[in-house]
């Protein structure tokens, strides 16, 4: 018989992998990609940050890094750059997970928006230093705005559809440690 805590832990990890694979799959589909259209939100980034805000124990560093590296490779971005930036932002959230439990949603949204902007600026800076081609700052800022707007929807889906919630004060993780 499987321990219920271990089952919940692996269900969360497999659920994240499934959703990430689904988002990457839909990003790879050639659906109405006309030139001159506005960029859409980065739903995978929103999913990672929402998941880390809710249950950081469900996303170990290795799972997150491998998933994001595969996304970089499949979406033809510089391999490891966006993955590293998102992992750094996720680890910032993980390091402050005890404080994140007490945040109201507007403060959480402001923190996530700031992290998304830091990821965007660091990505643009590294691409500029290495002289790699990149989209204009205006298009990148539009994608950032759409990602910030999409974050509450991602939180609603992860909270109410998937049942992912912030741990309560007396809850223990899979290793017997208090959250």
């Amino acid at each position: 018989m499987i321990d219920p805590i271990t089952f919940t832990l692996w269900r969360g990890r497999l659920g994240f992998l499934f959703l990430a694979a689904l988002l990457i799959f839909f990003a790879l589909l050639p659906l109405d990609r006309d030139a001159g259209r506005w960029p859409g939100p980065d739903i995978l980034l929103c999913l990672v940050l929402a998941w880390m805000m809710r249950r950081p124990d469900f996303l170990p560093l290795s799972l997150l890094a491998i998933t994001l590296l595969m996304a970089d490779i499949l979406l033809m971005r510089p391999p490891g750059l966006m993955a590293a930036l998102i992992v750094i932002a996720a680890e910032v959230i993980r390091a402050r997970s005890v404080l994140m439990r007490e945040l109201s949603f507007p403060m959480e949204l402001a923190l996530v928006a700031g992290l998304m902007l830091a990821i965007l600026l660091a990505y643009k800076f590294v691409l500029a230093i290495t002289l790699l081609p990149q989209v204009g700052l205006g298009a990148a800022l539009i994608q950032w705005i759409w990602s910030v707007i999409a974050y509450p929807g991602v939180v609603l889906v992860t909270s109410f559809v998937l049942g992912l919630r912030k741990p309560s004060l007396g809850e223990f993780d899979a290793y017997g440690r208090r959250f």
Side-chain angles (χ1 to χ4, degrees), residues 1-141:
M1 181 110 181
I2 297 177
D3 176 25
I5 294 175
T6 306
F7 177 74
T8 304
L9 182 73
W10 280 101
R11 187 186 67 192
R13 289 176 181 172
L14 292 175
F16 172 78
L17 274 177
F18 175 75
L19 287 176
L22 194 66
L23 289 172
I24 293 169
F25 173 74
F26 281 117
L28 290 172
L29 288 177
L31 300 174
D32 199 27
R33 299 281 178 161
D34 295 335
R37 298 197 49 135
W38 284 10
D42 190 351
I43 301 294
L44 183 60
L45 173 62
C46 293
L47 180 71
V48 168
L49 295 178
W51 215 277
M52 287 303 278
M53 287 294 244
R54 304 286 172 277
R55 294 304 294 245
D57 58 324
F58 285 179
L59 284 180
L61 179 63
S62 57
L63 176 71
L64 186 60
I66 290 169
T67 304
L68 293 172
L69 182 61
M70 290 307 298
D72 278 354
I73 291 169
L74 291 172
L75 297 175
M76 294 190 291
R77 298 186 292 217
L81 177 58
M82 185 61 85
L85 294 173
I86 294 174
V87 164
I88 290 169
E91 289 303 311
V92 164
I93 292 173
R94 186 190 314 267
R96 292 162 179 77
S97 63
V98 174
L99 300 173
M100 299 300 164
R101 185 180 329 135
E102 305 298 325
L103 282 181
S104 64
F105 187 73
M107 291 302 296
E108 175 184 334
L109 184 61
L111 175 72
V112 166
L115 285 172
M116 286 181 185
L117 185 61
I119 289 170
L120 167 83
L121 293 176
Y123 187 73
K124 300 283 290 172
F125 179 73
V126 171
L127 288 181
I129 284 189
T130 57
L131 302 175
L132 288 171
Q134 55 183 314
V135 298
L137 183 61
L141 287 175

Side-chain angles (χ1 to χ4, degrees), residues 137-148:
L137 183 61
L141 287 175
I142 289 171
Q143 184 181 28
W144 171 72
I145 290 169
W146 280 117
S147 297
V148 171

